[in-house]
Amino acid sequence: LINGPDKAFENRPETIELAFEKDFDAEIDIWRIDGEWFLGHDEAQYPVDSAWIMAAAPRAWFHCKNAEAMLWMSNHSKGINFFWHDSDDYTLTSTGYVWAYPGSKVEGNAILVMPERIMKIADLATVKCYGVCTDYALIARKSL
């Protein structure tokens, strides 16, 4: 999502592709169930195939939502950026970035997640981090 929260469009393949077309990376919630791939935040909703995943990989931050997805990625996905977390303040992505839970201190190679929960998007320019994960990417881009 790039212009605010919208549950109806979250994690849909076409929404992610639109973000890529606008030159954004995307956090993608991904599930693997019985060898099949799905997108969706709280549940596996939108089926995708391996070709879609590989096409998305250069711009994707795959958030593995179940063990099967995480284990497959860790064994078969050289160079793909993925992570898994629950309620941790920080998690390390497969490519060495720090994924920081909203409100956690960030600097350097950290990704600030949902800054709108703790600050005004207009103040992002004051934060020294690698990147930002927000539903307000269009506004954030203007602030940086």
Side-chain angles (χ1 to χ4, degrees), residues 70-144:
M70 181 191 59
L71 292 170
W72 189 94
M73 290 276 187
S74 69
N75 289 316
H76 299 94
S77 61
K78 185 176 181 181
I80 293 178
N81 197 8
F82 71 94
F83 63 96
W84 179 88
H85 75 100
D86 186 13
S87 58
D88 313 312
D89 289 339
Y90 303 96
T91 193
L92 193 60
T93 74
S94 61
T95 54
Y97 293 93
V98 175
W99 194 263
Y101 190 79
S104 300
K105 181 181 175 184
V106 296
E107 61 183 51
N109 72 336
I111 307 299
L112 175 60
V113 178
M114 300 185 81
E116 61 271 16
R117 290 187 176 179
I118 59 168
M119 66 188 331
K120 293 178 183 177
I121 295 291
D123 294 336
L124 281 174
T126 65
V127 179
K128 295 179 181 173
C129 62
Y130 179 80
V132 175
C133 181
T134 177
D135 290 337
Y136 298 95
L138 287 173
I139 297 168
R141 179 181 276 167
K142 291 176 187 174
S143 300
L144 297 173

Side-chain angles (χ1 to χ4, degrees), residues 13 17 20 28 30-39 46-58 60 62 68-69 72-73 76-77 80:
E17 291 162 8
F20 293 160
I28 301 172
I30 193 160
W31 303 74
R32 186 166 169 87
I33 300 172
D34 296 329
E36 302 293 325
W37 291 106
F38 299 88
L39 307 182
Y46 310 108
V48 294
D49 58 22
S50 297
W52 189 92
I53 292 167
M54 296 313 290
F62 288 111
E68 190 175 342
W72 189 94
M73 290 276 187
H76 299 94
S77 61
I80 293 178

